[in-house]
Amino acid sequence: MPDIYTQLALYLDSLPAGFPPTEDGVELKILEKLFSEEEAALALHLSLLNEAAPIIAHKAGLPIDRTTNLLEGMVEKGLISGSYPEGAPPTYAVSQFVIGFYEGQVDRLDQEIVDLVEAYVPTYFEQGPWKQYPQVRTIPVNEAVPITSEVMPYLQAKAILESKTQIAVRNCVCRQEMEILGQGCGKPMETCLTFDGAALNTVQTGKGRLISKEEAFQILKDAQAAGLVLQPANSQNPIMLCLCCDCCCGVLRHIKQEPNPSELVANPFIAQYDPTLCTECGACVEICPMDALSLDDLGSVHFDPIRCIGCGLCTGVCPSGAILLVQKPKSEQPKIPKNTTMTYLNIARVQGLGKVFNLIKMWVLHQFRRITMREKKGQ
């Protein structure tokens, strides 16, 4: 039988976000660094669906008290997800690698884990699902959104924030990683926003703080000034919104290396460049995160639409109105899933029926265990 870390790696790879193997086994070293053997064994009994400690204890064959202590410790270490609804017992779910227990290492990174992650990420992005179906999407900065009745609220940062009951902010794990590597960019650190249940989890685990909507709006304003790209979860009801730079963000860094970044993001917008209005000041070239805008030897601006991810940063710095953000034709606009569950189902679908079957089986077993536990309590 494979050792416990190999078993956990195989389990994580069976989930929608994947955890593909490498020839040198660096993915196993990541797990060995973060999980104790006992924690890795317990993680095998968690699913993407939240479950209470007694259910997990029953599956793992462990005492409830020991299981609860392990689960709480794993939540504290950012290894799994914990949900703490008011007036109800906490529930727990497995975390995938990205977005998941890597982000859970915010404020906990050290040189060893950073080196391991940097060694693994190229394989993860090449063999994982990111090029097939992204977990995050790109939305424009507020001032760049076209003023039309067709722009849905979930495509607007301000509307997303207005729809949330609770908002928390935490540090950016990607910029922390680059600082450890001596490649920090100096851009704002406290920028990652989480919402509602995810916000409560952020605070519960000490990884961030609750903020008002007014402070959240100011964070967005500061992010635009710093040239950060807005990336919420790829759903109409996102649980998080990251404010990312192309020099540190693991997603943007790898997308930028591709010849066709626009095809690797979920965004219905694209820049529209009018050379007759351009003063060739170069401000758009400097701020564009994907090098979609460039200057030739004569100082003329060129626009490459295949590299545009529709972030809208260029429109905010153009003094002549030569660049606007417009919506793509409807046939080219991505369909945004309604919630995170649908996002994972779509990721699983593009990877084949095997992963879809895994998710369906996970849901069926989850429902069966809930019924069984209710029946036991009634006896």
Side-chain angles (χ1 to χ4, degrees):
M1 178 180 290
D3 68 41
I4 196 63
Y5 294 111
T6 301
Q7 292 180 55
L8 180 55
L10 290 171
Y11 175 49
L12 292 171
D13 196 35
S14 74
L15 301 177
F19 197 61
T22 61
E23 291 186 6
D24 61 0
V26 66
E27 77 282 2
L28 301 180
K29 296 176 184 176
I30 291 174
L31 298 181
E32 291 170 4
K33 165 72 175 176
L34 298 178
F35 293 78
S36 70
E37 290 191 6
E38 192 174 19
E39 290 168 341
L42 185 58
L44 290 171
H45 297 285
L46 300 178
S47 78
L48 288 171
L49 302 168
N50 286 323
E51 295 179 311
I55 293 177
I56 298 168
H58 176 74
K59 289 192 290 180
L62 294 174
I64 294 177
D65 288 348
R66 179 57 184 160
T67 301
T68 301
N69 289 337
L70 280 170
L71 291 169
E72 284 297 313
M74 293 167 74
V75 170
E76 182 68 24
K77 292 168 64 176
L79 301 178
I80 63 173
S81 171
S83 178
Y84 300 88
E86 188 174 351
T91 56
Y92 309 89
V94 68
S95 283
Q96 303 184 89
F97 174 54
V98 175
I99 300 170
F101 63 82
Y102 166 65
E103 286 78 9
Q105 301 316 300
V106 64
D107 301 332
R108 296 177 56 91
L109 294 175
D110 60 27
Q111 187 69 53
E112 182 182 3
I113 189 60
V114 164
D115 289 341
L116 290 172
V117 168
E118 280 296 297
Y120 180 57
V121 162
T123 296
Y124 182 72
F125 274 91
E126 284 300 316
Q127 298 183 22
W130 279 84
K131 288 186 177 182
Q132 299 170 291
Y133 199 98
Q135 286 190 58
V136 297
R137 56 192 173 98
T138 304
I139 57 174
V141 294
N142 285 329
E143 288 76 4
V145 179
I147 307 301
T148 73
S149 60
E150 296 180 355
V151 180
M152 303 302 292
Y154 56 81
L155 300 175
Q156 304 174 54
K158 186 175 181 180
I160 290 174
L161 295 185
E162 289 285 11
S163 71
K164 302 303 179 181
T165 303
Q166 291 172 308
I167 305 172
V169 65
R170 60 198 292 183
N171 286 328
C172 172
V173 71
C174 296
R175 284 193 277 280
Q176 286 186 340
E177 178 183 329
M178 289 296 109
E179 283 198 350
I180 290 175
L181 292 173
Q183 301 173 32
C185 63
K187 293 184 177 179
M189 184 68 71
E190 196 184 34
T191 54
C192 291
L193 304 176
T194 53
F195 308 127
D196 298 336
L200 293 177
N201 179 265
T202 294
V203 176
Q204 177 78 20
T205 56
K207 293 182 173 64
R209 60 189 178 87
L210 288 175
I211 59 174
S212 65
K213 289 182 180 179
E214 289 71 25
E215 185 173 357
F217 292 141
Q218 186 61 49
I219 288 172
L220 290 187
K221 185 176 180 180
D222 294 342
Q224 180 176 353
L228 301 183
V229 177
L230 278 55
Q231 294 196 105
N234 190 11
S235 76
Q236 295 180 24
N237 184 26
I239 62 172
M240 45 72 68
L241 169 59
C242 287
L243 311 179
C244 307
C245 56
D246 63 297
C247 50
C248 298
C249 172
V251 175
L252 293 183
R253 276 193 293 143
H254 286 82
I255 288 176
K256 190 171 185 176
Q257 296 172 9
E258 297 291 327
N260 57 343
S262 69
E263 296 180 1
L264 300 177
V265 298
N267 191 342
F269 301 104
I270 189 169
Q272 185 177 77
Y273 171 63
D274 185 349
T276 65
L277 298 177
C278 182
T279 62
E280 298 180 344
C281 67
C284 62
V285 174
E286 184 176 346
I287 203 170
C288 178
M290 291 292 122
D291 297 333
L293 292 147
S294 60
L295 284 172
D296 63 19
D297 294 338
L298 298 176
S300 297
V301 174
H302 292 272
F303 174 58
D304 183 1
I306 198 67
R307 298 200 62 83
C308 177
I309 60 173
C311 66
L313 289 170
C314 55
T315 68
V317 297
C318 179
S320 63
I323 308 177
L324 300 174
L325 209 62
V326 298
Q327 287 186 272
K328 298 176 182 177
K330 285 193 176 294
S331 61
E332 298 178 18
Q333 293 184 25
K335 292 183 179 180
I336 308 301
K338 289 187 176 181
N339 50 47
T340 302
T341 300
M342 292 305 301
T343 300
Y344 284 151
L345 280 171
N346 286 339
I347 294 173
R349 177 180 52 79
V350 299
Q351 295 181 88
L353 293 177
K355 289 203 173 183
V356 174
F357 175 75
N358 284 341
L359 288 182
I360 293 174
K361 181 173 69 174
M362 191 178 293
W363 183 85
V364 171
L365 290 174
H366 174 72
Q367 298 302 320
F368 174 76
R369 283 191 290 267
R370 288 178 62 189
I371 293 171
T372 301
M373 293 300 292
R374 281 201 300 266
E375 290 176 346
K376 286 185 176 181
K377 287 182 179 179
Q379 291 178 352

